[in-house]
Amino acid sequence: MDTGAIITDLFLGKDGVTEEWLNYKAKSARQYRRIFYRDTNELELTGIPEKSRENLSIALEKETLLVSLGAKLKIAKLKGVRDWFYSANIADFGDPYENAFLSSVIPEGFAEDKSVQDKVVEYFAAFDPSIVGFHVEKSNRDGEEGKYVKIDAIHRLKGGETTSIPLQEESNGTLKMFALYPVLQDTLERGSVLFVDELNARLHPLLVRTFLITFLNPEINVHHAQIVFTTHDSWQLSTNLLRRDEIWFTEKDDDGATTLYSLADFVDANGARIRKDESYEKNYLLGKYGAIPTLKSFDMFGEESDG
């Protein structure tokens, strides 16, 4: 979606979609224009070509998303939204099963192409300069010729000598950075979006910072790729790293419903917006922006008190 901005939202109930809408704004426009709106009583297809509206209305069911249906019917505006999500990369390191899968994926061409291995070494040099190369062996497994790949990381020692360590025996942080490399390169090359859950898990804060700076550096990120990530590390609330509109919070209310809001839109008790020169991390930890857990302390006898 390179020609403007899209805002979409939906609400789901036990019987299907209860409300859904999609708005669009061209780069040069000030206001959003509606493509469609739908709830349990209304279906408005203002921004859909007239010849496609009847097909959408007939085929739409309670459990079906309009964007998905429109993409199948090859309606350009809706197909563009669907394809945007398809082009994004997703890495969920909070999921142990996906984490195990990601850790077993190697970059395309890594086993055969020395130049690909050299690029990975260059990538690792930003946070672990002791890794100077890889030794790769392909062998047979389960009757499949050349399908099993054994990878050793070559480390340079202080005296100039080298030693090899099986990749699976490297630290969790190194394995995670290795797993992130393929999706990082693909995202940067295509100028797409990378979604990462728990980016901070098992990574030193400086590694996370290095990874984020890759997206913030226009000399590296020439195609304007983006990263959207979740984290519980407050140090990333830095005026030297992220803008106010790049920081979003989630807060759960007493009913268990979660609200998502931007720091740029936050208004304090006096009606004032957040200044650029504020200490975001300090104010967040003080509870100024909300989105902090309600903690309770327990004494040795199990009596509960507010903390």
Side-chain angles (χ1 to χ4, degrees), residues 221-238:
N221 188 7
V222 294
H223 299 299
H224 311 292
Q226 293 178 295
I227 180 171
V228 179
F229 66 97
T230 63
T231 181
H232 294 95
D233 282 343
S234 61
W235 68 264
Q236 290 159 25
L237 298 174
S238 168

Side-chain angles (χ1 to χ4, degrees), residues 52-233:
S52 300
R53 295 177 190 176
E54 185 176 356
N55 291 337
L56 269 176
S57 302
I58 294 173
L60 186 63
E61 298 180 353
K62 291 187 298 182
E63 301 83 3
T64 305
L65 298 176
L66 260 168
V67 169
S68 299
L69 177 60
K72 288 181 179 179
L73 295 175
K74 298 183 180 180
I75 299 173
K77 288 182 179 179
L78 303 185
K79 185 177 182 298
V81 176
R82 194 277 310 273
D83 290 349
W84 182 88
F85 283 101
Y86 275 172
S87 69
N89 286 307
I90 300 175
D92 182 3
F93 289 96
D95 184 332
Y97 297 103
E98 185 170 350
N99 194 8
F101 169 74
L102 287 168
S103 299
S104 66
V105 174
I106 64 175
E108 185 177 357
F110 181 85
E112 303 84 15
D113 193 337
K114 181 65 167 56
S115 65
V116 175
Q117 297 174 27
D118 291 340
K119 288 182 180 179
V120 178
V121 171
E122 183 180 351
Y123 162 73
F124 268 81
F127 58 89
D128 188 354
S130 72
I131 297 179
V132 295
F134 295 96
H135 178 70
V136 181
E137 288 184 9
K138 297 178 69 175
S139 58
N140 300 339
R141 191 177 193 181
D142 298 330
E144 296 182 286
E145 185 176 350
K147 290 295 184 181
Y148 178 66
V149 179
K150 180 179 180 294
I151 302 173
D152 290 341
I154 302 173
H155 290 256
R156 177 179 286 122
L157 304 179
K158 283 186 176 180
E161 297 180 354
T162 61
T163 186
S164 297
I165 300 176
L167 186 63
Q168 66 267 25
E169 294 181 13
E170 294 281 355
S171 68
N172 285 335
T174 297
L175 289 175
K176 181 172 180 178
M177 293 301 281
F178 188 84
L180 281 169
Y181 177 81
V183 291
L184 172 65
Q185 289 302 108
D186 181 71
T187 302
L188 292 175
E189 289 172 5
R190 295 192 295 114
S192 57
V193 182
L194 172 59
F195 293 89
V196 185
D197 189 25
E198 303 289 353
L199 177 61
N200 58 299
R202 300 189 307 283
L203 285 183
H204 189 281
L206 291 179
L207 295 187
V208 177
R209 182 179 178 86
T210 298
F211 195 82
L212 295 179
I213 287 176
T214 300
F215 286 86
L216 299 173
N217 187 341
E219 294 182 3
I220 299 175
N221 188 7
V222 294
H223 299 299
H224 311 292
Q226 293 178 295
I227 180 171
V228 179
F229 66 97
T230 63
T231 181
H232 294 95
D233 282 343

Side-chain angles (χ1 to χ4, degrees), residues 17-19 38-42:
V17 179
T18 59
E19 193 174 16
R38 146 212 207 177
D39 61 19
T40 53
N41 301 311
E42 179 184 359

Side-chain angles (χ1 to χ4, degrees), residues 29-49:
R30 292 187 176 183
Q31 295 182 334
Y32 283 86
R33 299 179 61 182
R34 176 168 290 176
I35 295 179
F36 68 75
Y37 175 84
R38 146 212 207 177
D39 61 19
T40 53
N41 301 311
E42 179 184 359
L43 178 61
E44 181 186 330
L45 303 173
T46 311
I48 304 296

